[in-house]
Structures are given as structure tokens and as C-alpha cells.
Amino acid sequence: MPNIQRLNTIDADFWPRLEALTAWEGVADQTITATVREVLAQVRSRGDDALLEYSCRFDRLNLAHAADLEIPAARLHHALTVISAEQRTALAMAAARIRSYAERQKLESWRFTEADGTVLGQQVTPLDRVGVYVPGGKAAYPSSVLMNAIPAKVAGVPEIIMVAPTPDGALNELVLAAAAVAGVDRVFTLGGAQAVAALAYGTATVPRVDKIVGPGNIYVAAAKRQVFGTVGIDLIAGPSEILVLCDGRTDPDWIAMDLFSQAEHDEDAQPILISPDTAFLQRVQEAISRLLPKMERAEIITASLHRRAAMIQVRDLSEAAQVVNFIAPEHLELSVERPEELLPLIRHAGAIFMGRYTAEALGDYCAGPNHVLPTSRTARFSSPLGVYDFQKRTSLIYCSPIGATTLGRTASILARGEGLTAHARSAELRLP
Amino acid sequence: MPNIQRLNTIDADFWPRLEALTAWEGVADQTITATVREVLAQVRSRGDDALLEYSCRFDRLNLAHAADLEIPAARLHHALTVISAEQRTALAMAAARIRSYAERQKLESWRFTEADGTVLGQQVTPLDRVGVYVPGGKAAYPSSVLMNAIPAKVAGVPEIIMVAPTPDGALNELVLAAAAVAGVDRVFTLGGAQAVAALAYGTATVPRVDKIVGPGNIYVAAAKRQVFGTVGIDLIAGPSEILVLCDGRTDPDWIAMDLFSQAEHDEDAQPILISPDTAFLQRVQEAISRLLPKMERAEIITASLHRRAAMIQVRDLSEAAQVVNFIAPEHLELSVERPEELLPLIRHAGAIFMGRYTAEALGDYCAGPNHVLPTSRTARFSSPLGVYDFQKRTSLIYCSPIGATTLGRTASILARGEGLTAHARSAELRLP
């Protein structure tokens, strides 16, 4: 049975232990960085030829022409007919809820006029073209396609390019169906750093995008980090995490299964339970031991529980909130009687699931809010993926002749203070 | 006299030439990357000792104690009494306008309730602590202190830490005064990659921050790129750019001076003029030749004009807008009769200065909108620095028991489609 670390806030070494528990070095090592740099350079200089070579080497695809890298739109729509009716309905329901929540995130342009006629404002526009990376293999998730592509569509992005590796040519029907539902415009069978390079620099076949989003392995993450600046990127995601804060009165089986639901993602996923109730922690431990053997992904769950899980005993719920704020969890369940009362104490979290009925898994698929969330304590400074990630702002300034006079005098003083006299003169020339 | 490149959209090689003109590789080379990696590692493992060593080596500061790295708050307020009354008023006026514009950018939390009692929302909170990097030497700009610190304050960030190198111990009174006006909480005399490391990892003396903003040299940029993920960062800024789009009826001297105002920043700055009027381009060229010798920073301006400036002749203003959108300029002046008519055609720009009286320099100091803007074509996917960069969002989900049933069934189908059965069971356990 899994040996889950226990921490207690009354222990003298609690905070250092918590820091060690939650530390995660997502940074690629120098070998990976160098490999990725070479892949990027090859695709940048040799374009489609490099893509075909890498697809042959890594995905065992023998394609004659770069055009074969594209999956035709008709094939996406075909996928919709291959999946079950139940799945089709579920995808459509999830998409509708994700879209409806996203609509509320849309930024709007604004402007205002000052007394002297000067106008200031902020203009909001969508990105021209976005790339969505969808991993292959064990992490090929249709829900991820919906969560990355729909906010871009809602933002008004005219063209969404999806890339997904298809090792040995195996297509995932649910992923293709999700692309059709989400309104993805073009799909290429590309993965790894070469896919990121193709999106960032463009090739004769793959159009260059303005921003790349979506999760990927360490090579994909390293490639995104390296092309950042040439294109925009979303956050570099670490392993998934769940932090359950429970008052001790939720069914322990529910809590055990919620912890499993993150643990089953991968061996480095981090499930943590916080409670002021020692007996409850013990009951969840027993539920874990009882339920684990029946889980399909028991091996992955066990590894995650051993490596990175913890049960943290706290004095009370307000101390629990302090621990939450240190961890800044990707997913936070407030499995307590009155979650609203705790909410004002929580400063950092990707998403908060309030009340005993709100399983984190609902948020992964269909509640509406995005499941792409900041991991590894980055919720201290970043936000869920949203419509705003596919919009950008432009400042607007119109100075009336009078406004240019008032502002010009101030600008001139400050510019001269900085030794930037061309700035000063440019303002002064407009003075009466 | 400076030889400014001429481009014309009627030329067959126009677009490739435009791409070459605007290309900028801001990426640090491998030597710099390796040096920076070592500096980061030293500060991370040895803390204050490493900081004192680097300050001695690079800034020739012989400090006995790490506490000496801090400039006391009283010293900032003293600076306010050292600068001229005129400068004090100008700083206060600029700060007030920057604050007032920033107030309009504040994101607000929202939530809504669905028919079955399920509540969805988005909670907005400020970052806990922010670091502002202020360069020393020729680019030590008080305006930059205002532009970086004020939006953070407006966002509600409780603590702002500023770092600025002081080579040979030389303090810049205007920079310190600006820190006082902006409400910076603590200032350390630190620069380079070591300053970024101190902010990202924290030392015994320098508190660890959640996000680092502010411009810097290639080492600072490389360090920010490497600590990205541990902390948030703003954009990696390239050289400053101005794109003036003129109908040919603005005083050529004004336009020449506007081009100079960016060119004087540094040798790699990029001033570009677009007009459909050949004769006007020639008149601006003549104005440049006449005005340049009298400029204080003539040498830098000349270098910039030689290296990276261009005059682009277009067929008409709507074609000009296409060129603008390709360049996605940091600063765009619409020096035309009816700038409002052109506005809908502009998709990508950091800030737009509308009309003949709106010199770009006004925006650098006191118009109100931020002067930290996306450079090197990154306005395709990013925005001016703003209050929103110091706030983050948390998704809120509360499912009623009925809501958990409806959503649970859909989540279960999709989770099983992905082979994530713990996700499915976590939802199913809450079904009636």
C-alpha cells in the first residue's frame, strides 16, 4: 500500500519540508536544450525537408510529400461519425459550456475624452493565427483540443493550426472529432520540437503562427521556451496537481478518488490533502488502500502517491489557507461546509472547486472554465488559459493641439532630465 | 549625411526586403547563456555572498555587508528634494496621468449562477511581490520607474522591489525620486543577471518576488528568459522602434524629429517613415540632413539611421496599413488628416499616436498609457505593460448536487474516452 508522506504544521521543519515537497525543476537540461536548438535550426533553414526527416525518424512515418503531413478537414468530420453518439453529445455539451464561459472573458476596447479634447484608449484585437500543440501517445486528450482551441475561436482568431504527432500513423478519432467540434482550421501530423519550429518559423507547407499553446513533453517545453519572443507561448506546464482542503466531513472515498484523478495523469503528478482532522486523514488513507487495487491505472497512481503525494495536518482552516497560498495549487478543492467563507483567504490558485459535490474532474471536461491552468506554484503570477490569451491590446493616444501643449511641456522637462533631447524637441516643436 | 534605405511597395522584392529590414535576433548567444546560467546558479546557492562579489567585480562597489546593497527609503525621499521644482512637478503630473489611465485597466472579478444552482466565476487577485529592474548607465530612465511600478501599485501589489545597478556608487537622483513618487517599497543597488537571480530566488537580504519586469541589457534579458517559470517576466524587449505613417502634409521637421526621438535611444533603434508622397519623403530626408548636425546625440542617431532606418513609399494609405500590420510596430504615428479612418485597418501595434500633434515622445513620459510596449514585431501577440500584468485570475466552480449530476455524466463519458477512469469515477461517485 502506498506510503504517503505526512506533514504537520506544528512540526518545526514544516515550511522547509513543504517547499521541498512542492519544488519542481521543469527546466530542460543542457543536452535537451542543445538537441532542441539543433532541431529548431534545421527546420528553420531546411523547412519541409527537415520535417519529413524528423517525422520519419521519430514517428516512423514515410511520407513522400510534405503535403501529406496535413490531415484534410474531411477526415476530421469523418471522425465525428466514427465516435459513439454518446461521445458526440458529450463533446458538443462540453464545447458549448467552454464557449459560453469563454464569452464572458472577452476583453473590450475602450476610450475616453479629456477636457481639452485629448483622447486616450485601449484597442483590443485578436491574434491573426494560433498554433495548438496536442501531444500524442498516452496524453492525447480531446478535452485538451477543446480547451486550447475554443478560447482562441471566441477571441476571434481567424485561423487555428493544430499539430499532433501520430506515431506509426495512428490517428486518435476522439482528438480529430474534438478538432472538428472546436473549429480548428488545419491539422498537421507533427510532434516534438520540430512541430514547434514549424509553427514558429513556418515552412512551405505549415503556416507560421503568432502564438503556440498546448501541453507537451520536455522537448516541446524546451522548444517553446526557445522560440518565445519569435512567437508568443502559453505557460510551460509542469506535472498536474490537486490540493484538497477538507473539513473532515466529506465521504473519504470521494476524496481518495479525487486524489487518484490527478495521480493517474503521471508518476510526477502531485495529489495533496489538507485537513485539521487527524482521524479523517486516516480514513482517507484507508480508502486509498481499499480503492487503489481496483483502479485501471493503479501503477501510475501508486508511483505518484509514493513520489509526490502528501497529507498535511493543520490546526484549522485558516491555517490551511496559508498552506494553500504557499503551494498556489493548480487545482484546489474546498471540500468544506461553507467554501464561500474560505474564499477570501485564498490568494493563489489556478481553479477553485467549491463544495463537496464539485469534483475537480468536472472542471477537466465540461464545467466551462479552462483546464489549462498554472502548475508548479506559478499561480502566484499567472492565470488559466483564456480568451484574453488570444487577444492583445494597443494603446490609443490622440492629443488635441491644446493637449499637445500641456503634455509637451511636461514631456520636455522629463526628456531633458534623461538626456534625451530629440524626445524633448519633438514635443517642443508642437508647442505654440 | 545619413544614407537612409528606400523601399517601395511596387518593387518585386519589397516584402522580402521588409522582412530583412525588420528582422531582429534578440536571442542571447551560447556564451552569454552559459555565463548567465553560472551567475544564476551562484546567487541561488550562495545568496548574498555571490551578490557582493558580483557587485564588486562589475560595479566596483566594495560593500562590507549585504544590507549595504539597500538604499534606505529616506534616501529616496531625499532625492525628491534634490531635483528641481520643475522636475518634481513634471514627475508628479506624469505619475498622476499614468495612474489614472492604469485605473481603467483594472480587471474585476465576476461570477454568474446557472439555472440548477451551479456557480461559475473568475476571481482576480494581485501578485504578492513584484521586482522592477531599472538599468544603470546611459539607459537609466526615471520614466521607466514610473511606467513599471505604477501599474503594479494600481493592481494592488503590496510590495514592489526595485533593483538598479550603481556603477562606482553613482546614484541617479531622478531615478530615486521617481521611485519615491511611484511608491516603490524597497530599492537595492544591484544590476545584471545577478539582480535577476536575487529577485527570482531571493537571498537573506533581497526578498524573492513573483514577477520581474523592466528593461535591461542582453545579460538581463537572458537571465529573465532563464528564470521564466520560477517567476513571471514581462516581454523581452528589443531595440525601440517608431513607424510614422504620414499623408505628406505634416511639417517635415516634426516628422524628422519624431524619427530622431527613437533613433537617439541606441544604434539599433529603428525609425521608419511610410508615405504615399515621394516629394514628402524627400523633404523629410532634407529636414533630417539639416537638423541632424545640431542634435546632442547625433552620433547615435546617425548610426541608427544608417543601420536600421527606412523610408517606404506606398501606393496609398490602405496599402500603408498592410505594411504597418506586417511590421507590428512598437510605436505607430498616424500623422494624417483623419487618423480615425485608418484605425480600423490597423491590427497590430503597441501604441498608436493619432494626428499630427501627437508626438510619440508624449507617450514616453506623460500621456498616460504605458511606454513599455512590445517590440520586434511582438505586437502581433502581445500588449503594452499594464495593470493586468500584475493581476491574475482564478477560476471558480461551485456545482450544486444537481449540477454535479448533469456535468458528472458528461465528464464520465469524456474521461472514459481518454482512458482516465479515476477521473470518471470521481465524477460518478457524486451521482445520485
Side-chain angles (χ1 to χ4, degrees), chain B residues 67-390:
Chain B
D68 300 335
L69 289 167
E70 185 162 6
I71 301 179
R75 182 65 187 81
L76 307 187
H77 290 281
H78 172 71
L80 271 176
T81 68
V82 170
I83 62 174
S84 73
E86 187 182 65
Q87 288 177 325
R88 226 167 15 245
T89 310
L91 276 181
M93 192 262 221
R97 292 188 61 88
I98 296 165
R99 199 173 289 125
S100 140
Y101 182 87
E103 289 287 354
R104 297 185 184 246
Q105 294 181 322
K106 257 184 113 158
L107 306 173
E108 301 295 338
S109 303
W110 49 263
R111 58 165 75 189
F112 62 96
T113 306
E114 301 190 310
D116 63 12
T118 292
V119 178
L120 300 178
Q122 189 172 272
Q123 180 162 291
V124 177
T125 44
L127 275 63
D128 280 349
R129 199 186 280 135
V130 163
V132 175
Y133 188 95
V134 178
K138 67 174 178 180
Y141 298 144
S143 56
S144 193
V145 176
L146 301 184
M147 294 288 184
N148 281 278
I150 290 175
K153 274 284 160 191
V154 170
V157 174
E159 196 176 6
I160 298 176
I161 313 292
M162 183 174 120
V163 292
T166 54
D168 302 305
L171 297 175
N172 180 322
E173 299 296 343
L174 267 172
V175 164
L176 297 183
V181 168
V184 166
D185 295 281
R186 300 178 70 183
V187 180
F188 295 90
T189 59
L190 282 169
Q194 61 273 24
V196 174
L199 292 172
Y201 306 124
T203 70
T205 303
V206 182
R208 173 183 173 153
V209 304
D210 299 299
K211 184 164 189 166
I212 303 173
V213 298
N217 64 19
I218 189 82
Y219 290 91
V220 171
K224 281 165 70 180
R225 189 180 282 267
Q226 287 187 36
V227 300
F228 169 56
T230 301
V231 294
I233 61 169
D234 59 354
L235 271 187
I236 311 265
S240 193
E241 318 146 12
I242 188 171
L243 179 55
V244 180
L245 171 50
C246 187
D247 56 12
R249 286 181 287 144
T250 306
D251 186 329
D253 283 13
W254 294 15
I255 300 298
M257 200 57 76
D258 296 350
L259 297 173
F260 289 176
S261 77
Q262 291 309 298
E264 76 172 341
H265 272 297
D266 74 82
E267 293 82 351
D268 290 318
Q270 184 157 59
I272 297 177
L273 171 60
I274 302 184
S275 181
D277 183 338
T278 327
F280 180 72
L281 293 177
Q282 193 49 43
R283 285 161 63 209
V284 173
Q285 172 73 60
E286 286 158 16
I288 287 174
S289 303
R290 177 166 36 79
L291 296 169
L292 182 54
K294 301 171 209 157
M295 300 307 300
E296 283 83 348
R297 296 164 73 95
E299 211 168 312
I300 297 172
I301 296 172
T302 307
S304 155
L305 293 177
H306 269 296
R307 280 193 208 173
R308 304 205 67 221
M311 294 200 177
I312 302 177
Q313 185 168 349
V314 290
R315 290 181 182 84
D316 51 41
L317 294 182
S318 89
E319 188 183 57
Q322 289 175 42
V323 178
V324 168
N325 286 328
F326 177 86
I327 297 175
E330 181 189 15
H331 305 105
L332 172 65
E333 278 187 17
L334 297 180
S335 201
V336 298
E337 196 56 34
R338 282 188 294 274
E340 282 290 348
E341 286 180 11
L342 267 179
L343 205 53
L345 302 182
I346 308 296
R347 295 199 313 282
H348 313 302
I352 303 178
F353 301 80
M354 299 163 68
R356 308 192 198 284
Y357 279 88
T358 314
E360 186 278 322
L362 306 182
D364 284 338
Y365 294 103
C366 56
N370 211 289
H371 80 192
V372 180
L373 297 167
T375 59
S376 311
R377 305 190 61 221
T378 59
R380 290 177 294 122
F381 54 83
S382 49
S383 300
L385 189 74
V387 174
Y388 38 79
D389 289 302
F390 303 103

Side-chain angles (χ1 to χ4, degrees), chain A residues 54-73:
Chain A
Y54 287 123
S55 288
C56 179
R57 193 187 317 167
F58 297 123
D59 294 337
R60 296 160 300 283
L61 296 182
N62 276 301
L63 304 174
H65 307 287
D68 301 336
L69 289 168
E70 184 162 7
I71 301 180

Side-chain angles (χ1 to χ4, degrees), chain A residues 111 121 210 261 264 380 423, chain B residues 101 210 261 264 340 380 423:
Chain A
R111 56 165 76 188
D210 299 298
S261 77
E264 76 173 342
R380 292 178 293 122
H423 283 69
Chain B
Y101 182 87
D210 299 299
S261 77
E264 76 172 341
E340 282 290 348
R380 290 177 294 122
H423 283 69

Side-chain angles (χ1 to χ4, degrees), chain A residues 68-363:
Chain A
D68 301 336
L69 289 168
E70 184 162 7
I71 301 180
R75 181 65 187 80
L76 308 186
H77 290 280
H78 172 70
L80 271 176
T81 67
V82 171
I83 63 174
S84 74
E86 187 181 65
Q87 287 176 326
R88 224 165 19 242
T89 309
L91 277 181
M93 192 262 221
R97 291 188 62 89
I98 295 165
R99 198 172 290 125
S100 141
Y101 182 87
E103 289 285 355
R104 295 182 186 249
Q105 294 181 321
K106 257 183 115 157
L107 306 173
E108 301 295 339
S109 303
W110 51 263
R111 56 165 76 188
F112 62 97
T113 305
E114 301 189 311
D116 64 10
T118 293
V119 178
L120 300 178
Q122 189 172 271
Q123 179 161 294
V124 177
T125 43
L127 276 62
D128 280 348
R129 198 186 281 137
V130 163
V132 176
Y133 188 95
V134 177
K138 67 174 176 179
Y141 297 146
S143 56
S144 193
V145 176
L146 301 184
M147 294 288 184
N148 281 280
I150 290 174
K153 273 283 160 193
V154 171
V157 174
E159 195 176 8
I160 299 177
I161 312 293
M162 182 174 123
V163 292
T166 53
D168 303 305
L171 297 175
N172 181 321
E173 298 296 341
L174 267 172
V175 164
L176 297 183
V181 168
V184 166
D185 294 282
R186 299 177 70 183
V187 180
F188 294 90
T189 59
L190 282 169
Q194 62 273 23
V196 173
L199 292 172
Y201 305 123
T203 70
T205 304
V206 183
R208 175 183 173 154
V209 303
D210 299 298
K211 184 164 189 167
I212 302 173
V213 298
N217 65 18
I218 189 80
Y219 290 92
V220 172
K224 281 165 70 179
R225 188 181 283 267
Q226 288 186 35
V227 299
F228 169 55
T230 301
V231 293
I233 61 169
D234 58 355
L235 271 186
I236 310 266
S240 193
E241 318 147 13
I242 188 170
L243 179 55
V244 180
L245 171 50
C246 187
D247 56 13
R249 287 181 284 145
T250 305
D251 185 329
D253 283 14
W254 295 15
I255 301 298
M257 199 58 75
D258 296 351
L259 297 173
F260 289 176
S261 77
Q262 290 310 298
E264 76 173 342
H265 272 297
D266 73 84
E267 293 82 351
D268 290 318
Q270 183 158 61
I272 297 178
L273 171 61
I274 304 184
S275 181
D277 184 338
T278 327
F280 180 72
L281 293 177
Q282 193 49 42
R283 285 162 63 210
V284 174
Q285 173 72 60
E286 285 157 17
I288 287 174
S289 303
R290 178 166 33 81
L291 295 169
L292 181 54
K294 299 171 209 155
M295 301 306 299
E296 284 82 349
R297 295 164 73 96
E299 213 168 310
I300 296 173
I301 296 173
T302 307
S304 155
L305 293 177
H306 269 297
R307 281 193 207 174
R308 305 207 64 224
M311 293 199 176
I312 302 178
Q313 186 166 350
V314 289
R315 291 179 182 87
D316 52 39
L317 294 183
S318 88
E319 188 182 56
Q322 289 175 42
V323 178
V324 168
N325 285 327
F326 177 86
I327 298 176
E330 181 188 14
H331 304 104
L332 172 65
E333 277 188 18
L334 296 179
S335 199
V336 299
E337 196 56 34
R338 282 187 294 273
E340 281 291 347
E341 287 180 13
L342 268 179
L343 206 53
L345 302 181
I346 308 297
R347 296 200 310 283
H348 312 303
I352 303 179
F353 301 81
M354 300 164 69
R356 308 191 199 285
Y357 279 88
T358 315
E360 186 277 322
L362 305 183

